[in-house]
C-alpha cells in the first residue's frame, strides 16, 4: 500500500513568524527571499510510481474511457452526472481529509495531479474547489476535534456535501461591507445569524455551509484590517431558519449555484471554525487552497484543448498548405505552449509552498497564480476557437464548452480585476509596514543609534553611484540614472 503523508489534523495556528513571510510581499520591498519559494517542488520517482499505480492509472482509465468526446448539452449533462458519481464512488471528494477519517490524506501536489484528470469537464471544478479544497480542507486543518469527528467522515464519503458561503448581494466579495451578522446571545452560548449569501455552489444537495458573518464592529474604518470583525461558522443545512434558493446557471453552464438565506438561525459557539474574530484569515486560507486547485485544473484543460486543435491544424489546408506548416499558426501554437508551461509552473510552485505549511499566508501567491492561469486559459480557448474557425463551435469539439466553463472563474469567489487591486494593495501595505518600523526607529533614535549610523554609512558608501551612468540602451551618449 502506498504511503502518502497524511494531512496533519491538529488545531493549527495562523503562521505569523518572519520565517513564514510571503515571497511576493518581499518582492514589493525590493527583496528576493529565495528559500520562501525554491527549490522547485518535485515528487521523487519511486513515490510518483506508487502514487500512479494506486490512483492515477485507475482514474485516468475512468476519465478517458467513460466520457465520450461529444459536447452537446444533453451529452454534457450525462457525462457530468457520471463524473460526479465517480468522484463520490472513488473517494476523490475525500482527498484532502486525513486517512483517520476515511479520506485519502493527499498533500497538495498529489491532490493537484489527481484533480487534473477530472478537468475533462471543467463545470465540476467549482464543486471540487468548494467541497474539497476549501470546506473539507479548512476543517481538517483548524477544526476542533469535535468538529472533525462530526463532519469529516461524512464529507469523505459524500454522504454530506459542503460548500463555502461568503459572497453577498450588491457587495459581492467585499468583506468590509458584509451585511450578514451574528449576534451573541445574552448567556454567551450561541449566536443568532441573519443575512443571505449568493453564488453558493450547491452540488449533491449541500448539507453543510461554511459561512462568514460579522460578529463585531471594525475599530478603524479607514484601515483595511478585519481584526475582530468577521467569524467563520459551520452551519448545518437542516437548522431552523436555513433555506436554499436556486439561482440561474452561470454562462449557460451546468454549474449549480444557490442563494443561502439565514433567518434567525441559532448556532452554537462550538460551531465557530477557528477563532472568533479571525474569519477573514480563515476565508483567505480557504481561498488560497481553492485557487491552487483551480489553477492546476485550468492548465490541464488547456492541455486537453490543444490536442484536438493540433489535430485540426494537421489535416486542414489553406491555399494548398496544411495549417500546421504555416508560420502564423506555428507562432500561435508556440505562444499557447508558453502559456501552458507558465500555468503549470506557477500552479505547482504554489502547491509546493502550501505543502510546507498549509496555514501559511500565501494568499498573494495563490491569487497571482489564479490571475495568470485564468487569463491565459481564456486567451488559449479564444485563440483555439479562432484557429479552428467554424469547427470551433462544433459540439463534437471541446472549444466552445471549455470557454463557457472557464469564464466563470473570472468572477467566481472574487472577480479577477478585484484580485489584481487587492494584490497590489497587499504588497503596498507590506512596504508601508516596513517603512513605519524604520520611521519609528528614527523617531526613537536615542534608543536606536545604530539606525542613524547605518544610514549615514550607506549614504557615504553608495554615494559614488549617484552619478550619470551610460547604459547603452537608448542609443544616446549619456543616460542619467540615479540609484537611491
Amino acid at each position: 500500500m502506498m504511503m502518502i503523508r497524511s494531512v496533519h489534523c491538529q488545531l493549527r495556528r495562523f503562521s505569523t513568524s518572519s520565517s513564514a513571510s510571503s515571497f511576493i510581499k518581499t518582492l514589493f520591498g525590493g527583496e528576493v527571499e529565495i528559500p520562501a519559494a525554491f527549490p522547485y517542488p518535485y515528487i521523487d520517482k519511486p513515490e510518483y510510481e506508487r502514487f500512479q499505480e494506486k490512483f492515477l492509472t485507475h482514474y485516468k482509465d475512468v476519465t478517458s474511457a467513460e466520457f465520450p468526446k461529444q459536447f452537446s448539452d444533453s451529452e454534457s449533462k450525462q457525462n457530468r452526472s457520471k463524473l460526479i458519481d465517480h468522484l463520490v464512488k472513488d473517494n476523490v471528494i475525500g482527498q484532502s481529509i486525513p486517512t483517520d477519517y476515511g479520506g485519502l490524506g493527499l498533500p497538495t501536489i498529489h491532490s493537484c495531479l489527481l484533480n487534473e484528470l477530472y478537468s475533462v469537464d471543467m463545470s465540476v471544478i467549482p464543486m471540487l474547489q468548494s467541497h474539497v479544497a476549501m470546506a473539507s480542507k479548512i476543517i481538517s486543518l483548524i477544526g476542533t476535534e469535535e468538529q472533525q469527528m462530526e463532519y469529516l467522515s461524512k464529507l469523505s464519503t459524500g454522504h454530506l456535501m459542503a460548500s463555502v458561503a461568503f459572497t453577498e448581494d450588491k457587495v459581492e466579495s467585499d468583506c468590509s461591507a458584509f451585511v450578514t451578522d451574528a449576534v451573541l446571545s445574552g448567556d454567551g452560548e450561541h449566536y443568532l445569524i441573519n443575512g443571505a449569501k449568493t453564488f453558493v455552489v450547491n452540488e449533491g444537495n449541500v448539507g453543510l455551509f461554511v459561512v462568514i458573518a460579522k460578529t463585531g464592529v471594525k475599530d478603524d474604518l479607514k484601515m483595511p484590517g478585519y481584526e475582530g470583525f468577521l467569524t467563520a461558522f459551520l452551519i448545518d443545512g437542516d437548522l431552523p431558519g436555513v433555506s436554499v434558493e436556486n439561482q440561474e446557471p452561470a454562462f449557460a453552464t451546468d454549474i449549480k449555484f444557490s442563494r443561502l438565506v439565514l433567518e434567525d438561525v441559532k448556532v452554537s459557539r462550538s460551531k465557530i471554525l477557528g477563532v472568533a474574530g479571525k474569519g477573514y484569515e480563515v476565508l483567505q486560507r480557504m481561498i488560497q487552497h481553492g485557487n491552487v486547485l483551480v489553477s492546476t485544473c485550468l492548465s490541464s484543460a488547456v492541455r486537453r484543448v490543444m490536442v484536438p486543435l493540433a489535430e485540426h491544424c494537421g489535416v486542414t489546408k489553406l491555399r494548398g498548405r496544411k495549417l500546421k506548416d504555416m508560420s502564423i499558426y506555428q507562432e500561435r501554437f508556440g505562444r499557447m505552449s508558453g502559456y501552458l508551461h507558465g500555468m503549470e509552473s506557477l500552479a505547482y510552485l504554489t502547491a509546493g509552498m502550501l505543502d510546507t505549511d498549509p496555514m501559511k499566508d500565501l494568499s498573494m501567491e495563490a491569487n497571482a497564480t489564479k490571475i495568470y492561469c485564468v487569463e491565459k486559459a481564456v486567451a488559449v480557448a479564444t485563440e483555439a476557437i479562432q484557429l479552428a474557425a467554424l469547427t470551433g463551435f462544433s459540439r463534437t469539439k471541446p472549444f466552445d464548452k471549455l470557454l463557457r466553463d472557464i469564464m466563470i472563474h473570472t468572477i467566481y469567489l472574487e472577480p479577477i480585476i478585484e484580485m489584481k487591486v487587492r494584490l497590489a494593495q497587499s504588497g503596498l501595505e507590506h512596504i508601508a509596514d516596513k517603512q513605519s518600523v524604520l520611521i519609528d526607529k528614527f523617531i526613537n533614535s536615542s534608543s536606536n543609534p545604530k539606525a542613524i549610523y547605518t544610514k549615514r554609512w550607506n549614504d557615504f558608501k553608495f554615494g559614488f553611484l549617484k552619478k550619470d551612468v551610460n547604459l547603452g540602451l537608448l542609443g544616446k551618449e549619456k543616460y542619467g540614472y540615479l540609484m537611491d
Side-chain angles (χ1 to χ4, degrees):
M1 180 178 294
M2 175 191 164
M3 298 300 292
I4 299 179
R5 179 170 59 84
S6 176
V7 178
H8 189 42
C9 61
Q10 291 184 356
L11 183 63
R12 292 177 180 266
R13 300 294 181 185
F14 297 108
S15 298
T16 56
S17 64
S18 59
S19 61
S21 59
S22 163
F23 177 74
I24 292 185
K25 279 185 180 179
T26 59
L27 292 181
F28 273 86
E31 303 170 4
V32 181
E33 191 173 331
I34 298 296
F38 300 99
Y40 193 84
Y42 74 98
I43 304 175
D44 58 54
K45 188 175 180 179
E47 182 182 5
Y48 180 77
E49 290 176 347
R50 291 193 297 269
F51 179 67
Q52 185 177 39
E53 180 181 355
K54 184 171 183 179
F55 294 104
L56 297 187
T57 302
H58 167 69
Y59 294 136
K60 191 172 184 179
D61 291 341
V62 168
T63 55
S64 61
E66 297 197 24
F67 303 106
K69 295 182 179 179
Q70 300 293 322
F71 299 91
S72 65
D73 290 338
S74 60
E75 289 166 329
S76 175
K77 289 180 180 179
Q78 292 176 4
N79 292 343
R80 189 173 188 277
S81 177
K82 189 185 298 184
L83 184 60
I84 293 176
D85 289 342
H86 274 293
L87 290 172
V88 176
K89 175 184 174 183
D90 296 334
N91 202 20
V92 178
I93 59 173
Q95 58 188 275
S96 61
I97 297 174
T99 54
D100 294 343
Y101 295 98
L104 301 181
L106 297 182
T108 306
I109 288 183
H110 295 69
S111 184
C112 290
L113 287 170
L114 184 59
N115 290 320
E116 277 196 27
L117 301 178
Y118 288 90
S119 61
V120 65
D121 189 337
M122 283 296 294
S123 68
V124 305
I125 302 305
M127 184 270 285
L128 280 176
Q129 180 183 19
S130 185
H131 177 89
V132 174
M134 299 179 71
S136 298
K137 186 75 172 183
I138 199 67
I139 296 174
S140 299
L141 291 173
I142 66 171
T144 63
E145 185 176 353
E146 291 76 13
Q147 291 170 351
Q148 292 177 354
M149 291 181 65
E150 181 178 358
Y151 294 116
L152 290 184
S153 296
K154 298 176 184 178
L155 292 173
S156 67
T157 59
H159 288 102
L160 177 66
M161 298 296 291
S163 190
V164 177
F166 73 96
T167 57
E168 296 187 2
D169 291 320
K170 298 182 181 180
V171 301
E172 296 182 350
S173 57
D174 182 6
C175 298
S176 63
F178 280 175
V179 176
T180 302
D181 63 347
V183 179
L184 186 63
S185 61
D187 58 7
E189 293 299 321
H190 66 269
Y191 285 87
L192 206 60
I193 303 179
N194 285 276
K197 299 292 183 177
T198 58
F199 290 101
V200 180
V201 175
N202 188 23
E203 298 284 356
N205 297 318
V206 172
L208 176 64
F209 300 93
V210 181
V211 177
I212 308 297
K214 294 191 303 181
T215 50
V217 179
K218 289 177 66 175
D219 296 328
D220 187 353
L221 296 177
K222 297 179 181 179
M223 299 299 292
Y226 301 95
E227 184 71 27
F229 179 56
L230 300 173
T231 299
F233 293 91
L234 296 174
I235 298 182
D236 296 297
D238 57 359
L239 286 178
V242 177
S243 60
V244 178
E245 303 171 353
N246 290 330
Q247 290 181 310
E248 291 295 324
F251 287 106
T253 68
D254 299 321
I255 304 171
K256 296 179 181 179
F257 288 110
S258 297
R259 186 171 186 265
L260 177 67
V261 180
L262 306 169
E263 295 180 332
D264 292 332
V265 179
K266 188 176 180 180
V267 180
S268 169
R269 288 194 64 176
S270 64
K271 298 295 184 179
I272 291 178
L273 184 58
V275 180
K278 293 289 185 178
Y280 181 72
E281 287 84 347
V282 173
L283 178 61
Q284 291 306 308
R285 298 307 187 274
M286 287 193 293
I287 289 177
Q288 68 186 24
H289 284 278
N291 285 347
V292 171
L293 180 145
V294 167
S295 299
T296 54
C297 291
L298 286 171
S299 67
S300 178
V302 166
R303 193 185 314 111
R304 290 176 187 274
V305 83
M306 289 180 67
V307 173
L309 182 61
E311 294 173 351
H312 169 79
C313 293
V315 298
T316 306
K317 291 184 178 181
L318 179 64
R319 297 178 182 176
R321 296 177 61 191
K322 290 183 177 180
L323 299 183
K324 71 180 182 66
D325 297 327
M326 302 180 70
S327 60
I328 187 170
Y329 285 87
Q330 293 172 352
E331 184 271 334
R332 292 189 176 190
F333 259 95
R335 184 165 60 242
M336 288 190 288
S337 298
Y339 291 161
L340 174 58
H341 179 71
M343 292 167 68
E344 291 179 332
S345 300
L346 275 176
Y348 281 97
L349 175 62
T350 311
M353 293 180 183
L354 285 175
D355 274 337
T356 61
D357 183 358
M359 287 308 296
K360 180 178 179 180
D361 182 8
L362 293 171
S363 56
M364 293 185 69
E365 284 78 5
N367 286 348
T369 299
K370 183 186 175 183
I371 290 170
Y372 181 86
C373 289
V374 169
E375 291 188 338
K376 297 312 177 187
V378 171
V380 170
T382 305
E383 190 86 71
I385 290 177
Q386 295 181 34
L387 295 182
L390 294 178
T391 309
F393 289 97
S394 171
R395 293 298 187 182
T396 62
K397 301 295 181 182
F399 312 122
D400 170 59
K401 185 179 187 305
L402 175 67
L403 181 59
R404 286 185 282 126
D405 286 343
I406 64 178
M407 281 298 292
I408 188 62
H409 295 292
T410 63
I411 59 172
Y412 178 55
L413 292 186
E414 188 174 15
I416 292 296
I417 190 169
E418 291 184 13
M419 293 177 66
K420 290 181 177 180
V421 171
R422 191 156 59 84
L423 189 66
Q425 181 186 27
S426 299
L428 294 175
E429 287 173 3
H430 174 68
I431 297 176
D433 291 340
K434 292 188 65 175
Q435 293 297 325
S436 65
V437 173
L438 183 61
I439 291 172
D440 288 341
K441 287 183 178 180
F442 280 107
I443 292 176
N444 302 307
S445 57
S446 59
S447 59
N448 292 279
K450 182 180 178 181
I452 296 293
Y453 294 127
T454 301
K455 180 68 169 61
R456 294 277 178 87
W457 168 247
N458 287 337
D459 287 346
F460 171 78
K461 182 178 179 182
F462 297 107
F464 69 94
L465 291 176
K466 295 184 178 181
K467 60 183 180 180
D468 289 345
V469 178
N470 182 10
L471 299 178
L473 300 176
L474 302 179
K476 298 179 181 180
E477 292 184 0
K478 291 178 64 179
Y479 175 62
Y481 183 77
L482 182 67
M483 179 177 287
D484 291 326

